[in-house]
């Protein structure tokens, strides 16, 4: 193509390029406009995004964000301090409102299903509000117990913060609430939700649907209940507080006295509540169940009804053990003091080493045979029975076993055991000899294969041909083995008791 032709076509090519560039420019403008629109949507949706993040937080501390009334804060939920814990009781608070909290500080004592444990908070901040005071019972996991803030100046803002407000933040909105943004609900009084809250006039009672349902089931007049929700709204907590205060019982006579028209029925209605005090003076007291008592009842019921128990009894002469115990304690010069129970634990550990089939546990699909004798020692506490575990008893001496047992039992009675100190184990010993019990049949502690019941030591007369009188007095102890027939057959249980008896009647073998 000649230079003249190229020059002639140049205007046409430039025109075509301009036409192609125009749609591209328009598309770029559209993209920018879309980006601006998307950015606006993100900003307006920020509160709802934060709510989703709040629910995604771990159950120990739910992150909350500043609202119209309160600055940034955390709601601390009831922690799960043991694998079997579903609810807990609040013990002594170790921090007061306004105190600074460092990671690892003990915030409060929590009574679990097995022991009283310290709840160590792992974040930094200030305690702004205690929502569950000392003595609060049966709080489910994640139930609000406290408010934590990052700035000490924000503590005063939560002086009037209520448990109902915490629950409303920690849970999704109630079905009756409109899904409108908070700012719109406050600025637009034309919305139904805003009208409901701003016009509490006349005899109308404002309550949540759940509160209305609970009131109907319990026969409560909502007009008698004082609401703690926004603008006096009645919520679930108000109904529960009303029932707990006994106001329903007081309202019954008033309701009976109100209709005066049927005069003949009024005296009968008034006499009905008078029968209630008779029950309290009838000679009994209803004692609320602790978490530990509930777990004991559940576990032992399952054990007795599902584990095939069998029982073996053995009588053991304890003269040699008692002589050795006396000799060792005299030689200790007060450094240690061995008990008869220490010898029993060591003898059981040695017998478990000899008969490992008993040192096993039922796991449903298989039987687990343990390599060490981790013996759970039943201890009575004011709250109930607990079994702290003395680990690797087969590898420890009498002195170490004695020291550990004393420490574990003392802390068990003070509700200071850690979960790993009372969960697990491979064998259980229950000793009621100190109460004068001759023998008893203990219930197996699942998943253990057996439990050894130890009775008291009694003086008995036995035949003795070498004695001039033909008999002699010996110290005799009776023990009974409760074993799981799924894990160990009767002959295996008998072998264990034979080995156990041999170690106690020849106690020097325990020192080998």
């Amino acid at each position: 193509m000649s230079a003249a032709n190229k020059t002639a076509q140049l205007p046409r090519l430039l025109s075509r390029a301009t036409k192609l560039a125009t749609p591209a420019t328009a598309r770029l403008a559209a993209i920018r406009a879309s980006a601006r629109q998307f950015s606006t949507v993100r900003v307006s949706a920020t509160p709802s995004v934060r709510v989703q993040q709040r629910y995604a937080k771990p159950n120990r501390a739910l992150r909350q964000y500043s609202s119209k009334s309160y600055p940034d804060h955390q709601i601390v939920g009831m922690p799960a301090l043991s694998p079997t814990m579903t609810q807990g009781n609040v013990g002594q608070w170790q921090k007061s409102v306004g105190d600074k909290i460092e990671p690892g500080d003990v915030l409060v004592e929590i009574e679990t299903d097995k022991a009283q444990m310290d709840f160590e908070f792992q974040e930094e901040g200030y305690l702004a509000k205690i929502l569950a005071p000392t003595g609060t019972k049966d709080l489910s996991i994640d139930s609000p117990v406290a408010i934590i803030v990052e700035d000490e100046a924000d503590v005063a803002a939560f002086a009037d913060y209520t448990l109902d407000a915490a629950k409303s933040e920690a849970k999704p909105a109630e079905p009756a609430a409109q899904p409108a943004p908070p700012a719109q609900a406050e600025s637009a009084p034309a919305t139904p939700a805003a009208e409901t809250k701003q016009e509490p006039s006349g005899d109308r009672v404002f309550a949540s649907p759940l509160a209305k349902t609970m009131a109907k089931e319990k026969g409560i007049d909502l007009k008698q209940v004082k609401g703690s929700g926004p603008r006096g709204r009645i919520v679930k907590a108000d109904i529960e507080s009303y029932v707990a205060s006994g106001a329903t019982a007081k309202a019954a006579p008033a309701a009976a006295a109100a209709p005066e028209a049927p005069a003949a029925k009024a005296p009968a209605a008034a006499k009905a509540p008078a029968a209630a005090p008779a029950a309290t003076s009838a000679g009994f007291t209803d004692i609320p169940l602790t978490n530990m008592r509930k777990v004991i009842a559940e576990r032992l019921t399952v054990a007795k009804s599902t584990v095939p128990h069998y029982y073996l009894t053995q009588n053991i002469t304890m003269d040699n053990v008692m002589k050795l115990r006396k000799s060792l304690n005299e030689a200790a010069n007060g450094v240690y003091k061995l008990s008869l129970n220490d010898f029993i634990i060591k003898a059981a550990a040695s017998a478990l080493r000899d008969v490992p089939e008993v040192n096993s546990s039922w796991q449903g699909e298989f039987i687990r045979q343990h390599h060490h004798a981790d013996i759970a020692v039943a201890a009575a506490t004011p709250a109930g029975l607990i079994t702290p575990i003395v680990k690797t008893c087969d590898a420890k001496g009498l002195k170490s076993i004695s020291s550990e047992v004393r420490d574990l039992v003392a802390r068990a009675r003070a509700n200071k055991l850690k979960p790993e100190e009372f969960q697990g184990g491979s064998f259980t010993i229950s000793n009621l000899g100190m109460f004068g019990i001759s023998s008893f049949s203990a219930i197996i502690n699942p998943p253990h294969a057996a439990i050894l019941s130890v009775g008291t030591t009694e003086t008995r007369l036995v035949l003795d041909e070498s004695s001039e009188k033909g008999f002699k007095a010996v110290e005799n102890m009776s023990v009974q083995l409760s074993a799981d027939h799924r894990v160990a057959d009767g002959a295996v249980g008998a072998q264990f008791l034979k080995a156990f008896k041999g170690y106690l009647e020849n106690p020097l073998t325990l020192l080998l």
Side-chain angles (χ1 to χ4, degrees), residues 7-363:
T7 303
Q9 292 182 3
L10 183 59
R12 182 174 60 83
L13 293 173
L14 291 174
S15 175
R16 184 178 180 185
T18 302
K19 291 180 180 179
L20 291 174
T22 300
T25 303
R27 288 195 297 271
L28 180 59
I31 291 172
R32 287 175 176 173
S34 175
R36 287 194 299 269
Q37 182 180 5
F38 177 73
S39 177
T40 303
V41 170
R42 285 185 62 188
V43 171
S44 65
T46 299
S48 62
V49 172
R50 284 178 173 175
V51 169
Q52 294 299 325
Q53 290 175 348
R54 183 178 70 207
Y55 298 139
K57 279 296 215 178
N59 64 347
R60 304 284 169 87
L62 306 180
R63 179 68 180 171
Q64 307 291 340
Y65 290 81
S66 59
S67 61
K68 181 180 178 182
S69 304
Y70 301 103
D72 289 357
H73 59 282
Q74 293 180 3
I75 294 183
V76 181
M78 170 65 73
L81 298 179
S82 72
T84 59
M85 180 178 172
T86 58
Q87 59 185 14
N89 301 336
V90 179
Q92 187 67 36
W93 281 89
Q94 303 301 315
K95 297 290 184 179
S96 302
V97 173
D99 286 355
K100 185 176 182 180
I101 301 173
E102 300 287 349
D105 283 356
V106 176
L107 188 62
V108 62
E109 295 177 353
I110 300 294
E111 181 190 342
T112 69
D113 52 354
K114 281 292 186 180
Q116 184 131 344
M117 303 175 61
D118 292 334
F119 173 29
E120 296 181 356
F121 198 65
Q122 299 303 324
E123 296 187 33
E124 189 175 333
Y126 294 87
L127 181 59
K129 185 74 173 181
I130 294 176
L131 299 173
T134 298
T136 304
K137 302 288 186 180
D138 299 333
L139 277 182
S140 58
I141 301 302
D142 294 341
S143 295
V145 298
I147 299 293
I148 304 295
V149 295
E150 295 181 0
D151 192 349
E152 185 177 9
D154 294 336
V155 172
F158 293 87
D160 59 345
Y161 195 87
T162 62
L163 184 60
D164 180 59
K167 290 181 179 178
S168 65
E169 290 182 10
K171 295 181 180 179
E174 296 180 359
Q178 297 295 329
Q184 181 180 353
E186 295 169 2
S187 61
T191 59
E195 289 177 359
T196 302
K197 293 181 179 180
Q198 294 179 2
E199 297 179 4
S201 58
D203 295 332
R204 184 176 178 183
V205 177
F206 298 93
S208 68
L210 179 58
K212 290 180 180 179
T213 301
M214 293 176 63
K216 184 177 180 180
E217 292 175 351
K218 299 180 181 299
I220 298 174
D221 184 3
L222 288 174
K223 295 180 181 179
Q224 306 296 326
V225 182
K226 184 178 180 181
S228 62
R231 296 174 177 83
R233 190 180 192 212
I234 299 173
V235 295
K236 174 186 174 183
D238 300 325
I239 300 296
E240 292 175 344
S241 299
Y242 186 81
V243 174
S245 66
T248 53
K250 297 177 182 178
E260 298 180 357
K265 295 183 180 180
K271 291 179 181 179
T280 60
S281 59
F284 62 84
T285 301
D286 294 332
I287 301 174
L289 294 177
T290 62
N291 288 341
M292 183 183 292
R293 179 54 57 187
K294 292 177 182 177
V295 172
I296 291 172
E298 180 181 354
R299 285 178 58 85
L300 293 186
T301 299
V302 171
K304 189 63 176 176
S305 58
T306 62
V307 177
H309 288 58
Y310 71 86
Y311 308 95
L312 301 174
T313 304
Q314 182 69 276
N315 292 316
I316 302 171
T317 301
M318 301 295 290
D319 290 20
N320 293 336
V321 170
M322 298 181 76
K323 290 178 181 178
L324 179 61
R325 170 177 173 260
K326 182 180 179 180
S327 176
L328 291 175
N329 284 338
E330 289 177 350
N333 293 323
V335 176
Y336 59 84
K337 185 177 182 180
L338 301 177
S339 69
L340 199 57
N341 201 50
D342 300 330
F343 285 89
I344 292 171
I345 294 173
K346 180 60 179 177
S350 300
L352 290 172
R353 181 188 57 203
D354 296 344
V355 189
E357 293 86 354
V358 179
N359 194 36
S360 304
S361 58
W362 178 260
Q363 301 293 330

Side-chain angles (χ1 to χ4, degrees), residues 399-412:
K399 180 182 175 181
S400 298
I401 291 175
S402 178
S403 177
E404 282 195 42
V405 170
R406 291 176 186 274
D407 175 64
L408 288 169
V409 172
R411 288 192 289 115

